[in-house]
Amino acid sequence: MISSCWFDAELLNFDLNQGDLMIFEKYGVDNNVIDSPAKEKDQASHAAELMRKFDQSKDLKENMTSVTKKQTINTETAVPSNESSSGKGVLWSTPSTPKTATVDHTVNEAESKKDSADESGKSCELRFGAYCLWREQHREVVKDSLVKKLKDRLFVARAYYPSIAKMPTQDTLSTELKQNIQDFERVLSESTIDSDLPAQIENKLERMETAIAKAKSCPVECQNVDKKFRQLLDLTEDEANFHMKQSAFLHQVAVQTIPKSLHCLYMRLTVDYFKSTDKVKVSEEEKYSDPLLHHFVIFSNNLIASSVVINSTVLHSEESQNLVFHVLTDQENFFAMEQWFSGKAYGEAAVQVLNFEKLDLQENGNLLPLPNEFRVSFHVTDGQAILNLRTEYLSTFSHSHFLLPEIFPKLNKIVILDDDVVVQRDLAPLWVLNMGGKANGAVQSCAVKLGQLGSFLGGEVKYQNSCAWMSGLNVIDLSRWRDLDLSKVYRTFVQQLKSVEGSAESAALGATLLTFQDQIYALDNSWMLTGLGHDYGLKLSDVKSAAVLHYNGNMKPWLELGIRKYKHYWKRFLNWEEQILSDCNISP
């Protein structure tokens, strides 16, 4: 049963049973507070245990992982909030990036112990997205141990000082502790790494340890020390929680914004475009509408990614003279795209860059919707017990895909490639496929059935056992598309679902799945391997043997946050000797 759906990229939540719009995400803290001793006679041993624990050096990075949790709460109504630091949620929007949605529901499915173990290993991904997995892969050995030791001693001294200051007979020790605390605070405010510490820091540390040893020998009230430890522990937990939420937020910002180096590249190419006088390759105009050639369509606003797609396709083609690539981009990136591809030779293939916003179309909306990406989460159950939460990632067509018959009226067959794919095999066999009258040849994701999305799709599902399908590599029969008028069917479903869901994004997802529910020709799974943008567990043998690699997910290979072991398969198809890449600090 489907219980909820939310779009992660904009944090727009939808309760599919109630139809209420929610914009709410909450980060919870699992307070690890030490309970007070139940009896007075246990106070001394309890305080000694606390001192022993806090006197040791601890790894804050590990504590942060254990005390912080992220939860998404679905209720019937909620209020938008921007108080990220108080744990009330974070809201942001990035219209230029593909949207990500999550659908939660429960299905009855028996899972083996092995699968359960695999899923439990991904629990942090479900709480924090892909950030925690990236952090684990990039975790570094803790350095600056002396700074950590200074912080620990300062922690203990602060705990003892209030009790020592109340003892009239310990004025000298109180003054010594106070002076050491002030010295440590001043040093740590100026130094964050061992190399920044002053030369006499070892002497300061020795004096602090001596003062702490004297304080421990004094008959202090354990209750006061215990109370101070609790206060310091609460402050430390709050600080760790804040940094965890800040890190998760910055991770989302990093994966949804354009890196500075790519922005530099776009600006440089745009300036070069307007300085150039030769902007049109007239000799290739006739290829753009020749139905006998192999036409590939790419929707993208990322010229580096598009270049990798084209280069990898051409390098694996035995007849590159038959290849024609149509790159549809927006007004903002058109000039940089045109300048980049007009100055490059991809074998004997032809490359056409189209400004989507300038096309004379009936319903283009003056925007370029990119392929949509959705995250679908399942509560996997065995009988009555819920075993795990399994997550699948789907990528589907956007509104712009349903304008293809109008954009290319003279073409009968095309292949659509997303800009986050890499081709590793000749795609020529796709052009001789007999799709049996189907309009869309696609790799299916049978982990998600349309019947499981029934309530989300407005009860319009005719084939309950039909598998969801993936964009990334799609063989489109435009002639069959026109015969069935699938673009009109899509618009009809959008209007129906929009009246139910109230959101254009969720309506577009449902309409896309419903439009092709009986028009999918299932390509063999060897044609495309998905998950390289979010799944750390893919077998390298499968990665090497797949015809097309799809980096769906938010950890794209051109980002610093991309999964390291998969980046090589993408980077090798980019010419790193380009001077402009070096000028903009774009490096392997």
Side-chain angles (χ1 to χ4, degrees), residues 431-451:
W431 298 96
V432 295
L433 279 179
N434 181 7
M435 298 199 299
K438 304 296 185 179
N440 184 358
V443 173
Q444 293 184 315
S445 176
C446 288
V448 182
K449 300 292 182 67
L450 295 187

Side-chain angles (χ1 to χ4, degrees), residues 574-588:
L574 197 61
N575 183 11
W576 296 103
E577 296 181 359
E578 294 275 356
Q579 182 60 40
I580 193 171
L581 298 183
S582 177
D583 292 343
C584 290
N585 295 322
I586 301 177
S587 58

